[in-house]
Amino acid sequence: MHPTVNIAVRAARAAGDVILRYHNQVDLLTIENKSINDFVSEVDKTAEKAIINEIKKAFPKHSILAEESGEILGDNNFQWIIDPLDGTTNYLHGFPQYAVSIALLENQIPTHAVIYDPFKEELFTASKGEGAYLNDERIRVTMSNGLEDTLIGTGFPFKHPQHLDCYLETFKAIHPHVSGIRRAGAAALDLAYLAAGRLDGFWEIGLNKWDMAAGALLVKEAGGFIGDFSGRDQYMETGNVVAGNADVFKVLLKKIHPHLSEDLQR
């Protein structure tokens, strides 16, 4: 494992300890509503502080973009992208699908990634050019051809209700051609599962950088493809993402694109 990944793993496990410490006491937590259907708890904040502390000890000059703390200025050639608890709503309801997501971008290119599910004790890691791993075992995307018999992941645009009708049209375009569609509520884990071959493809509207920075590198290092709704490498800017192996990626784009509103085509 790359030394930088070791630091990220240490940070993710520190956050995981915080998350597990409170997972049976969520009724006692202070919870805020940041915006429509977007919650933050003291666990999110405490877990994020644990991550930042570990990173700053090892790399005091690096910059950080974290979901709860925002941007911490530093050397912009090295930027950490952090989601301390992806799947907060799941966590607050006792639904065990959530994870810590940490990625390092070097000159805007993702080079190291960690996604850690503390409840299931699953650790996904990747470094650029060195493959993707689950608990030290190499993982690969599936070899599915087309959409027949595939299991596809997705996310509802619950923070962007203006896109709901458009999303439903894409859902209807994909649904008849696959064996199943799953919406589990944690995009970081969806992308990690895609990298591990548990899902064949994935699409979602309106994600943030911290939702997908680590997962995107995992998908690529597992042999998959990821892009925006035009197939370009602009998903971190647009927040709109499609992913899968080479064939599934192409077919999903073909099914989705005719149903997009003009603003989602950009």
Side-chain angles (χ1 to χ4, degrees):
M1 192 179 294
H2 192 284
T4 301
V5 174
N6 281 328
I7 300 299
V9 168
R10 187 184 309 162
R13 290 192 184 279
D17 288 345
V18 173
I19 291 166
L20 290 181
R21 189 181 312 148
Y22 293 99
H23 84 284
N24 284 326
Q25 305 175 50
V26 295
D27 56 323
L28 303 178
L29 296 177
T30 300
I31 302 167
E32 302 171 22
N33 196 333
K34 293 189 291 184
S35 62
I36 183 171
N37 296 322
D38 191 8
F39 303 97
V40 60
S41 73
E42 59 193 279
V43 171
D44 298 72
K45 296 177 180 180
T46 304
E48 186 169 284
K49 288 178 182 177
I51 295 170
I52 292 172
N53 287 341
E54 291 293 338
I55 290 173
K56 282 298 185 182
K57 280 194 294 186
F59 305 106
K61 295 183 179 181
H62 286 190
S63 66
I64 294 173
L65 176 62
E67 179 175 12
E68 310 308 337
S69 302
E71 191 170 7
I72 301 173
L73 298 178
D75 183 351
N76 283 328
N77 293 317
F78 299 91
Q79 185 184 46
W80 292 87
I81 309 292
I82 297 168
D83 191 338
L85 178 54
D86 184 47
T88 298
T89 300
N90 285 348
Y91 180 77
L92 295 177
H93 287 80
F95 189 85
Q97 187 76 358
Y98 45 79
V100 182
S101 179
I102 303 172
L104 175 63
L105 276 59
E106 298 184 29
N107 298 312
Q108 303 302 312
I109 298 172
T111 54
H112 302 288
V114 170
I115 293 176
Y116 177 51
D117 179 341
F119 189 84
K120 304 181 188 72
E121 296 187 354
E122 292 190 327
L123 180 69
F124 301 84
T125 59
S127 292
K128 185 174 173 59
E130 298 182 18
Y133 296 83
L134 167 55
N135 294 342
D136 299 322
E137 296 289 333
R138 186 72 180 263
I139 53 177
R140 299 285 298 179
V141 296
T142 65
M143 301 297 289
S144 302
N145 294 315
L147 295 182
E148 186 178 359
D149 298 326
T150 59
L151 184 63
I152 306 297
T154 190
F156 304 149
F158 62 95
K159 296 180 188 177
H160 306 279
Q162 72 274 20
H163 294 314
L164 180 58
D165 288 342
C166 179
Y167 169 78
L168 292 174
E169 291 302 314
T170 66
F171 187 98
K172 288 190 288 185
I174 293 168
H175 180 266
H177 304 283
V178 302
S179 64
I181 297 176
R182 299 289 181 266
R183 192 276 183 177
L189 277 180
D190 290 333
L191 291 170
Y193 282 15
L194 173 58
R198 295 173 179 175
L199 292 171
D200 297 284
F202 176 79
W203 92 100
E204 187 162 352
I205 295 171
L207 291 174
N208 292 301
K209 287 184 178 181
W210 47 78
D211 297 316
M212 54 183 165
L217 183 60
L218 279 164
V219 169
K220 290 179 179 179
E221 289 298 318
F225 288 76
I226 185 166
D228 62 15
F229 289 161
S230 295
R232 303 167 302 174
D233 195 27
Q234 302 298 313
Y235 51 91
M236 294 278 277
E237 288 71 39
T238 67
N240 306 320
V241 60
V242 177
N245 67 30
D247 195 57
V248 171
F249 178 68
K250 291 177 184 176
V251 179
L252 282 176
L253 285 173
K254 186 176 180 180
K255 296 292 183 185
I256 289 169
H257 203 267
H259 305 283
L260 298 176
S261 57
E262 186 176 340
D263 59 328
L264 290 176
Q265 293 179 15
R266 291 195 288 267

